[in-house]
Amino acid sequence: AQKITQTQPGMFVQEKEAVTLDCTYDTSDPSYGLFWYKQPSSGEMIFLIYQGSYDQQNATEGRYSLNFQKARKSANLVISASQLGDSAMYFCAMREGGSYIPTFGRGTSLIVHP
Amino acid sequence: NAGVTQTPKFRVLKTGQSMTLLCAQDMNHEYMYWYRQDPGMGLRLIHYSVGEGTTAKGEVPDGYNVSRLKKQNFLLGLESAAPSQTSVYFCASSGGLARFTDTQYFGPGTRLTVL
């Protein structure tokens, strides 16, 4: 069974609008971390934001925020005021407390239209 | 601060040739990883290391070997390259102090083509 599921292979958004990229996860470990990465067309993987399972508040980093719903096991990335430079692949990942190895989702392609 | 660097950035090999990819990090991280990324497949873990002198197999280790003789370096070797190893290879490192809060940082990638 997949531990990280990103159900949206592709998303489109108008510049300056907000967009939500979905990520659901599956774990029985009470200690885990959730991560989002951005991969632009240039290829590098850029760390965006982190949410820990014990964090009481949703993580925010500038225009990025994480809508963390623990009971539903979802960790959706919200990008506010989209910019053309946000066009990229976005990967959700989870690291469980008992593992050295994070699990990555298959990614969501985001295209921002002017 | 260079972070994670990879050498080379691009390489073309013929089937049966060998090569070594070098990953270096200057963040004093304990953990290092090698991934491959193929279209539609996401990231797949090849090998990883949890400290100097240690290595372990990941999801797709066949055809690859690794070594971590120094803490800052993690080498990925292809002894006899095959066209199926055409891919983009990423190295990553993480601090290792508290596992589930441990963020991975990635190198820029190596694009390898095997003819």
Side-chain angles (χ1 to χ4, degrees):
Chain A
Q2 284 193 355
K3 289 193 173 185
I4 292 286
T5 303
Q6 295 182 254
T7 57
Q8 308 152 311
M11 290 283 287
F12 297 87
V13 66
Q14 203 75 23
E15 195 178 7
K16 299 180 185 176
E17 291 186 349
V19 63
T20 298
L21 306 183
D22 294 343
C23 173
T24 57
Y25 60 92
D26 183 25
T27 181
S28 56
D29 193 326
S31 303
Y32 54 90
L34 297 154
F35 305 82
W36 277 92
Y37 290 86
K38 173 184 178 182
Q39 186 177 40
S41 58
S42 53
E44 70 270 31
M45 292 282 286
I46 303 165
F47 166 67
L48 293 178
I49 194 167
Y50 162 82
Q51 179 85 44
S53 59
Y54 299 112
D55 294 341
Q56 295 296 313
Q57 294 188 329
N58 288 341
T60 60
E61 289 288 347
R63 294 187 299 111
Y64 303 108
S65 61
L66 208 152
N67 184 0
F68 181 45
Q69 299 189 40
K70 196 169 181 177
R72 300 177 70 175
K73 293 188 176 179
S74 74
N76 299 337
L77 178 70
V78 180
I79 305 175
S80 63
S82 297
Q83 301 173 354
L84 297 178
D86 294 333
S87 294
M89 283 290 291
Y90 289 82
F91 292 92
C92 179
M94 176 178 65
R95 188 172 201 146
E96 294 166 297
S99 174
Y100 296 109
I101 304 169
T103 304
F104 283 81
R106 293 270 176 109
T108 294
S109 173
L110 175 67
I111 295 176
V112 180
H113 289 298
Chain B
N1 192 343
V4 181
T5 58
Q6 292 182 233
T7 309
K9 289 187 169 52
F10 303 93
R11 187 72 186 268
V12 178
L13 289 178
K14 294 181 179 178
T15 297
Q17 286 185 319
S18 63
M19 78 164 294
T20 300
L21 282 67
L22 171 64
C23 175
Q25 53 92 5
D26 61 3
M27 297 176 281
N28 201 35
H29 282 172
E30 288 293 332
Y31 300 173
M32 296 186 75
Y33 306 80
W34 276 108
Y35 292 92
R36 61 178 289 173
Q37 186 179 34
D38 303 295
M41 298 293 290
L43 287 169
R44 292 187 292 171
L45 183 65
I46 305 171
H47 286 281
Y48 65 100
S49 167
V50 298
E52 180 179 315
T54 75
T55 62
K57 293 180 180 179
E59 180 186 355
V60 289
D62 294 343
Y64 305 94
N65 56 74
V66 288
S67 64
R68 183 122 181 250
L69 299 179
K70 293 183 179 181
K71 185 177 183 179
Q72 63 268 32
N73 295 339
F74 196 28
L75 278 63
L76 178 71
L78 287 72
E79 289 186 348
S80 180
S84 60
Q85 294 177 305
T86 293
S87 189
V88 180
Y89 291 86
F90 286 99
C91 177
S93 71
S94 65
L97 294 178
R99 290 183 218 158
F100 76 95
T101 64
D102 206 19
T103 301
Q104 281 184 319
Y105 295 93
F106 284 80
T110 295
R111 188 173 294 275
L112 175 66
T113 301
V114 183
L115 302 175

